[in-house]
Amino acid sequence: MGFVDSLLGVVGFGIGIPIGIVVGFLVFIYFEPRDVKKELVAQSVNGFDSNSLVDIVPKLPLWVMSPDYERVDWLNKIILDAWPYFDKAACGIIKSMAEAIFAEYIGQFQIKSVHFERLTLGSLPPKIHGLKPQESNENELVLDLALRWAGDADIVLAIRFLSLQLAIQVVDIQISAAARIILRPFVPTFPCFSSIAVSLMEKPKIDFGLQIMGGDIMSIPGVYQIIQEVVARQVAKLYLWPQTYEIDILDSSIGATKKPVGILHVKVVRAHNLLNMDFLSTSDPYVKLSLSGERLPAKKTTVKMNNLNPEWYEDFKLTVKDPDSQVLQLQLYDWEKVGAHDYLGMQVVPLNTLTAYEKKEITLDLQNSMDPNDHHNKKPHGQITLEMTFVPFLEDSKKFSGSSDSSGNGSSRNGHESMLLSGTGLLLVNVVEAKDVEGKTNQSNPYAAVLFRGDRRRTKAVKKTRNPYWNEEFQFVLDEAPVKDFIHIEVMSKRRRMGLIFKESLGYVEINLADVVDNEHINEKYHLIESRDGIIHLDIRWKVI
């Protein structure tokens, strides 16, 4: 019987499974479930509060949450169409900026070369999730926007270290930021503004993957959070308002660029109760000074080692173009021998709070940022004391009458010369253009180098031309008139071949600045020395205060 029972069980199992499947299928098809309603109940979005909406759809656009922000689908469509061209332009800017940074590390730490192996921002553009225009009393248009980007960028950096070549790849970039765009100043020339200033209103949220030699370094415990935080902090330090990234739209030949109107004298006196960022010792603070709207390098004080209450008493002079809108930006750092310098705090001083010729001593409480919602501002960052004086330039003094009267003219000339030779002044050197400059090859990329009292400045390079147009101005603040000085201006060409950079001189001039001081303004074309037909156009001014 045991054998018969087993046999029947097997037969029943084999027959029961197919029959059960068929019966279940018929029941599912021909009988409706009793617990499912045919009609869905729709509830209006107005029935949810903002917190519930965030829980339901955490990625809602800002124009949904805030009525002050406008929906700009039309602008996103323009960005989508223009993205391929923006990609090429942005990558070109990134490469040019990175070359100068890479050059500082070549030769150090056994690094032989650094270059981008691949660089593209991909085919997916960022999206603007809301735009809000701000009211401004200045000659500018201020736009606040919410920006999100989940891109497919392909960025590979190749570093040759000793005999090895490391490939560092950045993938899966995601950015969420609140940005401010300022179009300024308005001019009667299309597109009706001369520059675009971009800044961040809060620390951005940045997420990305990082691979070294194909290995995902972000998978190492703790590394992911550290790298993301360091990158976000460094970006915020560079571009958090009031710091801006300026993009020139119109050159100064159209009259859009403002001319200097005076000198700001700043004495960094002391700081008090600074943050201690070091573990085994105290901070080594120094101060960086700059004016908003300027692209010149920031000025720096000396470093005070192991001192949370440093005293500097160091003087600086900064050129002011618009005292009504510019602000003095102060940033304090803890100097580090290796690695990035630690951030100690910042503060700003609007120049419109100063009275011309009047010295003002102020003590400021340092903050982490100018964002009123930054919770780090609740922590004390110490204080800094300054002495500031704004000295405007004298009006054009070359307007004397009675030139036929020898005695009167002599008196006027003596007074005018004494004014030009006394006190602080500003030397303005505008390198306009060059003509018929040529080198040993037909692929010259000319730029102009300006050398004065050991200070070397240079224009941007213009690719593959014999007639470069720069129209770039350089400023030198001097304690006295440069009547005994010469300024050396040389046209150079730089080209890359077989991975090496070759520089070539295309001609130079040396200008006696005594003539500039006597005349206050020289606008001339000079034949370049050691050039067959080359000519350079210079506009040099001397202004006293």
Side-chain angles (χ1 to χ4, degrees):
M1 293 297 293
F3 174 76
V4 175
D5 292 339
S6 300
L7 180 61
L8 292 176
V10 171
V11 173
F13 181 77
I15 296 175
I17 288 180
I19 293 175
I21 292 175
V22 173
V23 172
F25 176 75
L26 293 176
V27 171
F28 179 77
I29 294 297
Y30 291 101
F31 294 92
E32 296 182 358
R34 300 298 183 183
D35 57 343
V36 177
K37 297 181 180 180
K38 293 183 179 180
E39 296 182 0
L40 297 176
V41 177
Q43 184 175 353
S44 173
V45 176
N46 297 329
F48 296 94
D49 59 13
S50 59
N51 293 328
S52 300
L53 283 174
V54 170
D55 293 336
I56 296 171
V57 187
K59 298 298 183 181
L60 282 175
L62 195 57
W63 58 265
V64 176
M65 305 299 296
S66 176
D68 294 338
Y69 283 79
E70 299 179 5
R71 184 176 182 177
V72 285
D73 291 340
W74 59 272
L75 183 56
N76 287 322
K77 181 62 170 61
I78 294 175
I79 295 175
L80 177 62
D81 294 339
W83 182 249
Y85 305 96
F86 178 85
D87 178 24
K88 294 181 180 179
C91 290
I93 294 175
I94 293 173
K95 286 183 178 179
S96 61
M97 294 176 61
E99 283 182 357
I101 299 175
F102 294 162
E104 297 179 1
Y105 291 94
I106 295 177
Q108 299 183 15
F109 311 108
Q110 302 298 323
I111 296 177
K112 295 185 177 180
S113 66
V114 183
H115 67 277
F116 284 106
E117 191 173 284
R118 295 196 304 271
L119 177 59
T120 176
L121 301 182
S123 59
L124 300 176
K127 285 190 176 181
I128 299 175
H129 284 246
L131 185 145
K132 177 182 178 181
Q134 295 282 5
E135 295 184 1
S136 176
N137 296 326
E138 306 297 333
N139 187 25
E140 62 188 17
L141 174 62
V142 181
L143 301 173
D144 288 348
L145 53 89
L147 187 70
R148 291 176 186 169
W149 182 40
D152 57 344
D154 184 13
I155 304 174
V156 178
L157 185 66
I159 302 177
R160 188 169 183 81
F161 175 77
L162 295 175
S163 59
L164 301 176
Q165 180 162 319
L166 301 179
I168 302 175
Q169 185 176 11
V170 181
V171 296
D172 301 331
I173 300 177
Q174 298 184 36
I175 298 175
S176 177
R180 169 166 290 180
I181 296 179
I182 304 176
L183 311 179
R184 63 185 181 194
F186 294 139
V187 293
T189 305
F190 189 81
C192 302
F193 56 89
S194 65
S195 67
I196 300 176
V198 183
S199 60
L200 298 174
M201 302 308 296
E202 61 184 26
K203 187 171 70 173
K205 297 178 181 178
I206 303 177
D207 190 6
F208 59 91
L210 188 62
Q211 298 180 1
I212 298 181
M213 303 298 292
D216 187 5
I217 194 173
M218 293 299 196
S219 62
I220 301 175
V223 172
Y224 175 82
Q225 291 81 2
I226 294 175
I227 293 180
Q228 305 291 345
E229 178 63 22
V230 168
V231 171
R233 286 183 59 189
Q234 292 300 322
V235 172
K237 287 180 184 180
L238 292 174
Y239 303 115
L240 193 63
W241 193 90
Q243 299 182 100
T244 60
Y245 177 72
E246 296 277 349
I247 304 174
D248 293 328
I249 303 299
L250 300 177
D251 57 49
S252 58
S253 63
I254 303 177
T257 302
K258 295 182 178 180
K259 297 297 183 182
V261 296
I263 299 294
L264 177 66
H265 296 259
V266 182
K267 175 179 285 187
V268 182
V269 182
R270 68 179 70 89
H272 183 62
N273 287 339
L274 297 179
L275 295 177
N276 186 14
M277 306 300 291
D278 294 334
F279 179 67
L280 298 177
S281 61
T282 54
S283 297
D284 309 318
Y286 68 94
V287 185
K288 293 176 64 175
L289 307 89
S290 62
L291 286 176
S292 62
E294 289 288 349
R295 303 179 66 178
L296 299 174
K299 299 181 181 296
K300 300 179 183 179
T301 66
T302 57
V303 178
K304 298 298 182 181
M305 307 299 292
N306 297 321
N307 197 336
L308 299 181
N309 300 284
E311 294 185 353
W312 285 284
Y313 290 95
E314 297 181 15
D315 295 303
F316 300 90
K317 298 171 184 176
L318 299 94
T319 306
V320 178
K321 292 183 178 179
D322 189 353
D324 293 329
S325 64
Q326 285 185 292
V327 298
L328 173 67
Q329 301 171 154
L330 302 165
Q331 295 175 311
L332 278 78
Y333 291 91
D334 173 23
W335 180 84
E336 298 291 343
K337 187 175 182 179
V338 179
H341 298 181
D342 293 326
Y343 180 67
L344 297 178
M346 61 91 63
Q347 192 52 270
V348 298
V349 182
L351 300 191
N352 57 16
T353 61
L354 303 177
T355 302
Y357 304 107
E358 181 180 313
K359 181 185 292 185
K360 184 176 183 180
E361 179 174 331
I362 54 177
T363 299
L364 304 169
D365 292 326
L366 296 172
Q367 298 181 353
N368 186 70
S369 71
M370 298 306 296
D371 182 4
N373 299 321
D374 188 353
H375 65 278
H376 293 99
N377 288 334
K378 297 179 180 180
K379 179 180 179 180
H381 287 70
Q383 296 179 323
I384 187 170
T385 300
L386 308 169
E387 291 180 1
M388 302 175 59
T389 308
F390 172 60
V391 182
F393 292 123
L394 297 174
E395 295 182 354
D396 188 3
S397 58
K398 196 180 179 182
K399 295 179 180 179
F400 296 93
S401 59
S403 57
S404 59
D405 184 355
S406 59
S407 60
N409 186 36
S411 175
S412 299
R413 179 177 298 275
N414 292 335
H416 179 54
E417 289 180 353
S418 62
M419 181 184 66
L420 291 175
L421 296 175
S422 62
T424 304
L426 182 69
L427 181 66
L428 301 171
V429 181
N430 185 19
V431 184
V432 182
E433 62 180 338
K435 295 288 186 181
D436 298 324
V437 293
E438 56 182 340
K440 297 179 180 179
T441 67
N442 295 326
Q443 295 184 350
S444 296
N445 305 313
Y447 64 92
V450 179
L451 182 62
F452 176 68
R453 291 185 178 179
D455 189 357
R456 185 179 180 86
R457 315 279 182 87
R458 54 160 293 178
T459 67
K460 63 179 180 296
V462 183
K463 294 184 178 180
K464 298 180 182 181
T465 181
R466 295 181 56 191
N467 303 297
Y469 181 82
W470 300 292
N471 201 26
E472 295 188 33
E473 186 177 80
F474 305 97
Q475 305 168 8
F476 303 90
V477 180
L478 308 176
D479 292 327
E480 58 183 8
V483 292
K484 298 181 180 180
D485 291 280
F486 287 80
I487 188 168
H488 181 93
I489 302 173
E490 187 169 8
V491 180
M492 304 285 295
S493 177
K494 182 173 65 174
R495 58 190 177 89
R496 186 184 298 272
R497 184 179 180 185
M498 302 295 292
L500 300 176
I501 297 177
F502 297 90
K503 294 183 179 180
E504 179 185 4
S505 175
L506 306 182
Y508 69 93
V509 292
E510 287 191 347
I511 309 299
N512 188 347
L513 294 180
D515 298 333
V516 178
V517 175
D518 290 340
N519 295 281
E520 295 183 65
H521 179 207
I522 289 181
N523 190 345
E524 297 287 347
K525 294 181 179 179
Y526 299 89
H527 288 281
L528 291 169
I529 302 173
E530 296 184 1
S531 174
R532 185 175 63 181
D533 301 314
I535 294 176
I536 189 169
H537 183 187
L538 302 174
D539 186 343
I540 307 177
R541 299 172 182 265
W542 168 248
K543 305 183 82 171
V544 295
I545 60 176

